[in-house]
Amino acid sequence: MNPPTAKQTEPAMRPPATPDPGKRRFLYKLSGVIAGGMFIDGFILGGIGLVMPALTADLGLSFAWQGLIGASALIGIFLGGPLGGYLADKIGRKPMFTIDLAIFLAGSAAQFFVAEAWQLFVIRLVMGMAIGADYAIGWPLLAEFSPARMRGKLLAFQEVAWYIGYLVSYAVGYYMSSVFTADWRIILGMSTVPSLIVFLLRLGTPESPRWLMSKGRVQEGLAIAEKYMEEAEVLDVTNEVRGSTSVWRLFSPQYRKATAFVCIYWVCNVTPYFAIATFAPIVLESTGIEDGLTGALALNGVVVAGALTSMFLIEKVGRRKLAIPPMWIGAAALIIIGLFAHVSPIIILACFIIFSFANAVSTALTGVYPGEVFPTEIRGAGVGFATAVSRVGAAAGTFLLPLSISGLGIGTTMLVAAGICVIGALVSQRLAPETKGLSLNAASAPASASV
């Protein structure tokens, strides 16, 4: 059966009314403060690799402690995604939206005072839990306020912010450590600045009207919807129905295909990315490119460009055209690297650029689909669960890539990464829905999540 389309699942709609400027400003502010959290997420994850040699020497880290500290945030994301999603569905988006940034802020500041390895591990573990929760709180909140005509673009922008945070952290950390020889505590603690700014901006954010409606708080939900949302979305909000918040609904016949799709799609996008991005200098140098660090910074810039491309095109070409073809292109680029790893550094660099761009285009959809294909009462849990599963792939890729390069060689390692991309492309070909132009209720209906 072919994937559902907007035309098949939703009747023709009237031309949209002129957007209210005040409502539009609110929507942009909401998107900005959620993107601020994503920027911090990328910033926190991007800086640890550069300071690892300095903190290893300062704290006398063993290989085990290096691995634990390097993986601490990813472990935290694995724990925090499901927990944050469950709490966001249970007690509301608004309180969790502020608590989450308060944890960011406290953890960032605490990094200035680290004296022992276990302290840094615990701090970054807790910060990782906040990162995981932020996905499961921010994306559902934004999806639930956004009009159908802009929802994909606004959700994809969150991935752009994450990549920019990762790139800025990578670049600033390198500059401060090499030019100013700044202490690693200062470099890691710099996330305090954006955390404080975003925390203050998030104060006063209203509760999701869809969440209120799903809890039977109809008058509160309608009042907020009418104040902040467009007419068509207010009508859609009134169609929200009360349902169970049990996480087991993710695996029910209605939603298990949606759950399987977002998890597999996310894993197959981020596993090769995290592995290659984390060890980009090593990977590039092993293929004959001498200045691996400069090449890694350039690749991160290409990634930002790919995410921006996806953001600008998503409401024009739809989700499936941005989700599937780029995965095949990325797989092809990695296959060429795998087969011709030592032929020409220029060819290898070109293929890495192609992979990085294509991967960023498709990965931007990991910020879109999870917020669309689950209903309000389990949307947070769905995003949180997919976040946790994706980080298993990210951690595995990060841990296994250096072992694979040393044991199997760069060529075989890149072929394995290509195989992961192929799996993602095949699953997406079969399961990815087309949600362009659909109201959020229609996009999250069981029929739009099945094939």
Side-chain angles (χ1 to χ4, degrees):
M1 187 182 299
N2 292 325
T5 64
K7 292 182 179 179
Q8 292 172 327
T9 55
E10 183 150 298
M13 300 179 66
R14 293 173 299 172
T18 303
D20 181 279
K23 294 178 179 180
R24 186 168 52 197
R25 283 194 298 271
F26 164 77
L27 188 61
Y28 288 155
K29 179 186 177 183
L30 180 64
S31 179
V33 296
I34 295 174
M38 296 298 292
F39 175 92
I40 298 167
D41 297 348
F43 195 94
I44 290 170
L45 292 174
I48 191 66
L50 281 170
V51 301
M52 186 61 75
L55 69 89
T56 296
D58 190 14
L59 300 180
L61 298 183
S62 65
F63 287 119
W65 271 115
Q66 289 179 46
L68 284 171
I69 291 173
S72 56
L74 292 174
I75 297 170
I77 292 172
F78 177 78
L79 299 172
L83 178 60
Y86 171 78
L87 292 174
D89 289 338
K90 200 73 175 176
I91 67 175
R93 316 316 192 201
K94 179 180 178 179
M96 294 302 300
F97 197 51
T98 306
I99 292 170
D100 184 37
L101 253 293
I103 295 173
F104 273 148
L105 182 58
S108 295
Q111 291 179 114
F112 286 117
F113 307 102
V114 169
E116 297 184 37
W118 69 268
Q119 295 172 347
L120 185 59
F121 172 78
V122 172
I123 290 169
R124 292 188 66 84
L125 176 71
V126 174
M127 293 176 73
M129 293 180 68
I131 292 174
D134 202 53
Y135 293 123
I137 299 162
W139 289 351
L141 184 64
L142 183 58
E144 289 161 7
F145 270 107
S146 299
R149 61 187 174 81
M150 296 175 62
R151 189 177 61 239
K153 179 182 291 187
L154 294 176
L155 288 170
F157 174 63
Q158 308 309 307
E159 283 294 318
V160 175
W162 189 96
Y163 283 127
I164 291 175
Y166 193 95
L167 175 62
V168 169
S169 174
Y170 205 92
V172 171
Y174 171 69
Y175 186 75
M176 290 187 67
S177 60
S178 61
V179 177
F180 294 106
T181 61
D183 185 84
W184 58 267
R185 295 172 184 83
I186 296 176
I187 296 173
L188 292 180
M190 284 179 59
S191 58
T192 303
V193 176
S195 295
L196 177 60
I197 293 171
V198 176
F199 173 77
L200 294 174
L201 289 174
R202 283 192 178 186
L203 296 176
T205 300
E207 182 58 88
S208 162
R210 294 181 184 272
W211 182 84
L212 290 168
M213 295 290 286
S214 74
K215 296 297 181 180
R217 296 161 63 177
V218 176
Q219 295 305 316
E220 292 177 74
L222 284 178
I224 293 175
E226 289 172 355
K227 182 177 181 179
Y228 294 107
M229 300 175 72
E230 297 178 5
E231 182 181 348
E233 305 309 316
V234 174
L235 180 61
D236 195 52
V237 166
T238 62
N239 294 325
E240 286 283 349
V241 295
R242 298 187 68 174
S244 170
T245 58
S246 171
V247 295
W248 296 110
R249 285 188 67 196
L250 297 174
F251 312 103
S252 68
Q254 289 180 310
Y255 289 103
R256 62 191 177 198
K257 287 183 179 178
T259 301
F261 163 64
V262 295
C263 289
I264 296 172
Y265 181 78
W266 206 339
V267 165
C268 291
N269 270 286
V270 302
T271 299
Y273 169 76
F274 266 95
I276 293 172
T278 302
F279 296 98
I282 298 172
V283 173
L284 292 171
E285 287 167 9
S286 69
T287 60
I289 298 172
E290 294 182 2
D291 191 356
L293 184 59
T294 300
L297 288 171
L299 289 181
N300 278 309
V302 170
V303 164
V304 173
L308 281 169
T309 299
S310 193
M311 183 189 80
F312 285 119
L313 292 180
I314 191 167
E315 300 299 359
K316 297 179 180 179
V317 305
R319 277 57 161 166
R320 282 177 59 84
K321 290 180 180 178
L322 292 175
I324 302 168
M327 296 199 79
W328 289 113
I329 294 171
L334 292 179
I335 289 172
I336 293 173
I337 296 173
L339 296 177
F340 306 102
H342 301 292
V343 173
S344 169
I346 299 300
I347 293 176
I348 300 308
L349 181 59
C351 287
F352 269 124
I353 290 173
I354 292 170
F355 166 78
S356 298
F357 184 86
N359 178 261
V361 170
S362 60
T363 300
L365 274 292
T366 64
V368 178
Y369 272 131
E372 291 186 327
V373 299
F374 297 112
T376 298
E377 58 271 19
I378 57 168
R379 185 167 291 121
V383 175
F385 180 78
T387 298
V389 174
S390 75
R391 265 40 192 183
V392 173
T398 304
F399 176 73
L400 293 175
L401 183 124
L403 298 177
S404 180
I405 289 178
S406 63
L408 301 176
I410 185 69
T412 302
T413 299
M414 292 300 104
L415 291 177
V416 172
I420 294 172
C421 293
V422 168
I423 292 172
L426 290 172
V427 170
S428 301
Q429 199 88 41
R430 174 64 177 159
L431 296 179
E434 182 52 76
T435 54
K436 173 190 172 186
L438 296 182
S439 69
L440 195 57
N441 280 333
S444 61
S448 71
S450 62
V451 293

